[in-house]
Amino acid sequence: MTPPRPPHVVILGGGSAGWITACLLHHRWAARGGRVTLVESPEIGIIGVGEGSTPQLKAMFDLLGIAEAEWMPACDATWKLGIRFSGWSERPGFESYFHPFPGPIDLHSEPGFIRACAAARRGFAVPAHPDPWFLASVLAGEGRSPHPGPQFPFAPGYGYHFDAYKLGAFLRDWGVARGIVHLPRRVVDVALDGRGDVAALVCEDGERIAGDLFVDCSGFRAVIAQQALGGRFISFADNLFNDAAVVIPTPHSGPVLPQTDSIAMQAGWRWRIPLTTRVGNGYVYSSRHISADQAETELRAATGMLDAAEPVRFLTMRVGRMEQTWERNCLAGGLAQGFMEPLEATALHIVIATALEFAQALEEGGFTPANRDAFNQQAAERYEGIRDYIVGHYRLNQRSDTPYWRENAANQHLSDRLKAMMTAWFSQADLAQANARLYGARYYSAMSWHCLFAGYGTFPAEDRMRPLPDGIDDGGLERVRAMLVACAGNFPPLPGVAQIR
Ligand SMILES: Cc1cc2nc3c(=O)[nH]c(=O)nc-3n(C[C@H](O)[C@H](O)[C@H](O)COP(=O)(O)OP(=O)(O)OC[C@H]3O[C@@H](n4cnc5c(N)ncnc54)[C@H](O)[C@@H]3O)c2cc1C
């Protein structure tokens, strides 16, 4: 049987979400006659923040067949091996830890780390801080490239930092050159047909842009999914307090490490993201706990910009998700689908996963309610799985110096699944099994969950830790350390600031 002809897709919005979705759907369906039209209003513009990714962005470029040499220089991009969390924990020895992206060498070091955690959870004084156990952490700390020399065929997983405007522009040019139709228009209305499906986008001059499938990537406005179709938004405000951000770029100083820094602040945290041309900084905070002025002053002080003329930019965030990602003939993507604070830089990860899973679901099941419900369930679970991991940072961090941190630590609005993960950790149960049972091990690996708990020093109090008796496995850190040092030598050091410019 010949598969049905793919739909004519009309995407509203030309931010990163719109262009990523456009390129992926065009790539998948163009050869079978699928068409993609993207409508965006240059006057409204894009949000333009969002400078860090997970390895999913690499998977996307690989899928599209776009080489790093082609897109990275065009987007001021650098490599990212993971995220360093600093200042979140007050426990001595745990002031900072690295959350690495997983890679094949972890197969040889992760089991030891998990055994070390098991011993430390029982109160035995063994080295269970995550940093020395993972190749990505070692490479990031030493400022090495994620690309090994030819003798070593085991690259770690990695993502990128990039300029969000330039990434959108790159994908626009790439997509338009391959047949995506780009219409710079302001949409003032959404026309529905007699069944309530979307029939067309109506532009300022009255032009109607019709299609079979509409993708709402109009940002926090959610013009189609919420305004026209009345979709319900589920807020995560009870789980995640941060609802605002202030951003400022700074010039490079010091080494350019392949990592995002996430540094705890009075009422939130700030990111530090190295691009080739500048450093991106942003303070994500709770507007209930500090004012915009206080946030700006704290960010300027932390980045050495107190007396600088460089202006800051403020953003407010709608934290949560649409109840239905796919409603009638409309798919919501990017900020129109939902938003969680960028602590794990997961927004574009979700955009890519949503577009790919949607294309597959539509091909396999068409526009049927059962197919849509199954897809929506999967999308909701992804959101909530990632949210739980982010909430985990706030519950486990051990910082207590301001009302913001104390309220976070006392917050009882946790999902049952996150509570069950915490119970598993504290009752010394198998966390990998719990992750598989509760989340299908789909959103974060057992390694990531162990790093989260261990990285914040979530072990019995220091004065209750006792020497390791004979017969209890300490994970064998010395052997792992020697192996990682030998592996790291295969990865060349990154150029310094002067050379990347
Ligand atoms: C503080 C902050 C930090 C972030 N950090 C990260 C990060 O590190 N990593 C990450 O992956 N993500 C991050 N994000 C999220 C990321 O910025 C977004 O997911 C990403 O930029 C996609 O945005 P978007 O395309 O959905 O929306 P936008 O960029 O807002 O684009 C909306 C588009 O819709 C168009 N539009 C809207 N209304 C109309 C209309 N009526 N007619 C025509 N066009 C219209 C606009 O013109 C624009 O083109 C961050 C977000 C915030 C707020």
Side-chain angles (χ1 to χ4, degrees), residues 12-18 39-42 44-53 162 164 185-188 217-221 223 245 247 271 273 284 315-317 333-336 339 342 345-349 351:
L12 175 61
S16 332
V39 189
E40 65 159 328
S41 160
I44 294 177
I46 68 167
I47 192 161
V49 282
E51 304 184 318
S53 86
F162 47 84
R185 311 269 197 284
R186 190 181 184 116
V187 168
V188 291
C217 290
S218 62
F220 285 130
R221 288 179 168 78
V223 172
V247 301
W271 75 77
I273 288 186
V284 180
L315 298 143
T316 50
M317 296 156 353
L335 300 172
F339 178 72
T346 40
L348 298 187
H349 178 106
V351 169

Side-chain angles (χ1 to χ4, degrees), residues 105 109 131-139 142 144 152 477-491:
I105 293 296
S109 61
D131 281 8
W133 293 92
F134 294 99
L135 180 60
S137 324
V138 174
L139 296 178
E142 294 181 1
R144 290 179 185 269
F152 193 79
L477 179 58
E478 284 324 306
R479 182 192 57 81
V480 166
R481 210 191 288 272
M483 176 191 72
L484 295 184
V485 166
C487 291
N490 292 286
F491 295 79

